Amino acid sequence: TKEEDVVRTLLTTSTHSDLLFFTDKGKVYQCKMFEIPEGRRATKGKSIMNFLSMAGDERVTSVLPVRKGAWDDGDWSLMMVTKNGVIKKSDAVSFKDVRRSGLIAINLKEEDSLISAAFIGKGDEISLITYNGQAIRFKESDVRQMGRTAGGVGGMKLKKDDKIVSAEILK
């Protein structure tokens, strides 16, 4: 890594898994794990821009592996959270076939950005934490299922100078 680089996510998956890349602009991109070349210990790696057709100002906020055959397993959803406290739960199968140019995963209002996307199952809970130290925890069943292009609902009311910095799924 370079001095300014930080490892944020470590994935354990197989070469035939699909990888879903969610960006701060609310888009999702997909590629197969085997499309990403294996690096050596001393190599620097390649930019994600070489594998996805993202816009220059987009940055990846979440990477989710989906093992081969998991799309048919049924009862799981995708939870997305924005910095302004909007939360959205969609059926995970809606993201099975993502075209090369990406899909809109969540419609964002101006000045908002997607900070987290994660798979969630029945009975799980969501924890949201803000920059100023406020937190909330609630059941996944409190958020209704929405279509792929929906904007989401309020997950947490924020003060004027606050924003969501962490969204975690609690099993």
Side-chain angles (χ1 to χ4, degrees), residues 8-9 20-24 27-29 59-64 79 114-118:
R8 292 185 52 201
T9 306
L20 296 177
F21 295 87
F22 290 85
T23 69
D24 59 341
K27 287 187 79 174
V28 60
Y29 299 89
R59 68 179 185 82
V60 174
T61 58
S62 297
V63 181
L64 303 177
M79 187 71 67
L114 183 66
I115 63 155
S116 178

Side-chain angles (χ1 to χ4, degrees), residues 110-127:
E110 260 187 63
E111 304 297 320
D112 203 0
S113 62
L114 183 66
I115 63 155
S116 178
F119 292 120
I120 191 165
K122 296 274 188 219
D124 291 348
E125 294 186 350
I126 301 110
S127 171

Side-chain angles (χ1 to χ4, degrees), residues 26-125:
K27 287 187 79 174
V28 60
Y29 299 89
Q30 182 179 31
C31 76
K32 293 280 188 193
M33 185 66 190
F34 63 78
E35 293 174 2
I36 298 174
E38 185 175 336
R40 304 280 176 246
R41 191 175 67 84
T43 59
K44 290 185 180 182
K46 291 186 178 180
S47 170
I48 195 70
M49 302 295 267
N50 294 333
F51 307 103
L52 306 175
S53 57
M54 296 180 356
D57 62 340
E58 278 183 292
R59 68 179 185 82
V60 174
T61 58
S62 297
V63 181
L64 303 177
V66 182
R67 64 179 168 69
K68 187 176 182 177
W71 293 114
D72 304 321
D73 287 352
D75 225 12
W76 49 299
S77 300
L78 183 71
M79 187 71 67
M80 291 170 269
V81 179
T82 72
K83 76 172 184 179
N84 290 342
V86 174
I87 190 166
K88 176 183 169 186
K89 182 171 79 170
S90 292
D91 187 16
V93 178
S94 303
F95 299 94
K96 181 178 181 179
D97 295 314
V98 177
R99 60 182 167 263
R100 206 70 178 154
S101 60
L103 289 176
I104 296 172
I106 183 172
N107 279 326
L108 299 171
K109 293 183 179 174
E110 260 187 63
E111 304 297 320
D112 203 0
S113 62
L114 183 66
I115 63 155
S116 178
F119 292 120
I120 191 165
K122 296 274 188 219
D124 291 348
E125 294 186 350

